[in-house]
Amino acid sequence: KCPECSTDLVKLNAKDAAWRCPNESCPTRAWRRIEHFASKGALDIEGLGEKNVIALLNGGLIQDVADIYNLTAEQVVALDRFATVSANKLVQAIQAKKTPPLARFIYGLGIRHIGTQTANDLARHFRTLDALQVATIDDLAALEGIGEIVAESVVEYFSEQSTAQLFEKFKNAGVWPQAVQH
């Protein structure tokens, strides 16, 4: 059982060693996804570490990574952890990351099996998020360093309804990664 939400843990496939919480609404999964998105290796959003992410989630201000872009300083300052200056700095830091480099955005999404190097390889090859979204398993597996497991993981991520909803929220907030130039 998940220690946070009590959902039965599962292995995604028989070869997996790790047990995972499948509950998309699990609070721990939510803050880990957001913390990863904001981490130095991903979008590098200063001030959006574990404690602040948990405060924003517990305060009902965000539910996913796209929600951070709709935060206002007025909303944030209402939380116990924030004064006016820190709330303004956090909102400004988030707004400054609305058009991140594609590789950092891909990595920040937390797609299973995608580390920084693979995110860089995908960004260099596909050059836009739109092109990556429609890539097939064969398109992906043809790339050096990308095997079938990684290719399946990417295709599965982009085929999920929750991903489509997340990307719609990103677009509505004016967030989209930069295309990679030649």
Side-chain angles (χ1 to χ4, degrees), residues 44-157:
D44 193 17
I45 300 173
E46 189 160 335
L48 199 56
E50 175 183 345
K51 289 181 179 168
N52 286 348
V53 169
I54 291 171
L56 293 168
L57 283 164
N58 289 344
L61 298 181
I62 62 173
Q63 294 179 327
D64 59 38
V65 294
D67 289 339
I68 66 173
Y69 292 99
N70 295 317
L71 289 171
T72 65
E74 293 76 23
Q75 290 173 310
V76 175
V77 80
L79 299 175
D80 287 342
R81 293 189 55 80
F82 294 92
T84 303
V85 172
S86 59
N88 282 325
K89 280 186 175 181
L90 177 60
V91 170
Q92 288 169 358
I94 292 167
Q95 293 302 311
K97 304 294 179 158
K98 281 187 146 182
T99 57
L102 179 58
R104 286 179 167 268
F105 190 81
I106 293 167
Y107 175 68
L109 292 172
I111 302 168
R112 194 161 147 75
H113 304 298
I114 303 297
T116 54
Q117 183 59 54
T118 304
N120 281 319
D121 293 344
L122 292 170
R124 253 192 325 275
H125 181 80
F126 290 100
R127 299 206 324 257
T128 68
L129 188 60
D130 294 310
L132 177 59
Q133 284 180 276
V134 297
T136 65
I137 290 174
D138 291 340
D139 295 337
L140 291 156
L143 298 176
E144 185 176 330
I146 305 225
E148 192 172 325
I149 291 172
V150 173
E152 287 172 356
S153 180
V154 171
V155 169
E156 179 182 335
Y157 177 82

Side-chain angles (χ1 to χ4, degrees), residues 23-37:
N23 179 4
E24 288 293 326
S25 302
C26 177
T28 297
R29 286 189 64 194
W31 74 255
R32 292 252 188 229
R33 277 192 298 267
I34 297 166
E35 182 186 33
H36 175 75
F37 187 79

